[in-house]
Amino acid sequence: MAAHLSKGQTARWNKRLAETATNKARATALWDLARLLASTDDRAWADLVLLLQGWTTEQQGRPTSP
């Protein structure tokens, strides 16, 4: 089952993401958060990987597949 964040954890992650100044730093933070949220749920991890791969591709200025 995917993890749930407490209010304190949510605030910490919001702060970490807000402090990112580059797409590379933001991507690193988002991948870290995705791994935390997926926990041991491989299906959730697979869904998050697809989501973040699409985001990463868009940030690099490449079109995403439909």
Side-chain angles (χ1 to χ4, degrees):
M1 170 176 254
H4 296 279
L5 299 178
S6 68
K7 286 183 181 180
Q9 289 172 312
T10 300
R12 178 185 171 273
W13 278 101
N14 283 336
K15 182 177 185 262
R16 179 173 174 194
L17 291 169
E19 290 173 347
T20 59
T22 64
N23 279 338
K24 183 177 181 181
R26 193 169 297 113
T28 300
L30 288 171
W31 281 97
D32 291 347
L33 177 58
R35 183 71 261 177
L36 174 71
L37 290 174
S39 185
T40 59
D41 186 335
D42 290 338
R43 183 180 228 154
W45 175 240
D47 289 343
L48 289 165
V49 166
L50 291 175
L51 178 83
L52 286 171
Q53 283 176 336
W55 179 84
T56 300
T57 299
E58 287 179 16
Q59 296 307 307
Q60 294 171 342
R62 296 182 297 181
T64 57
S65 299

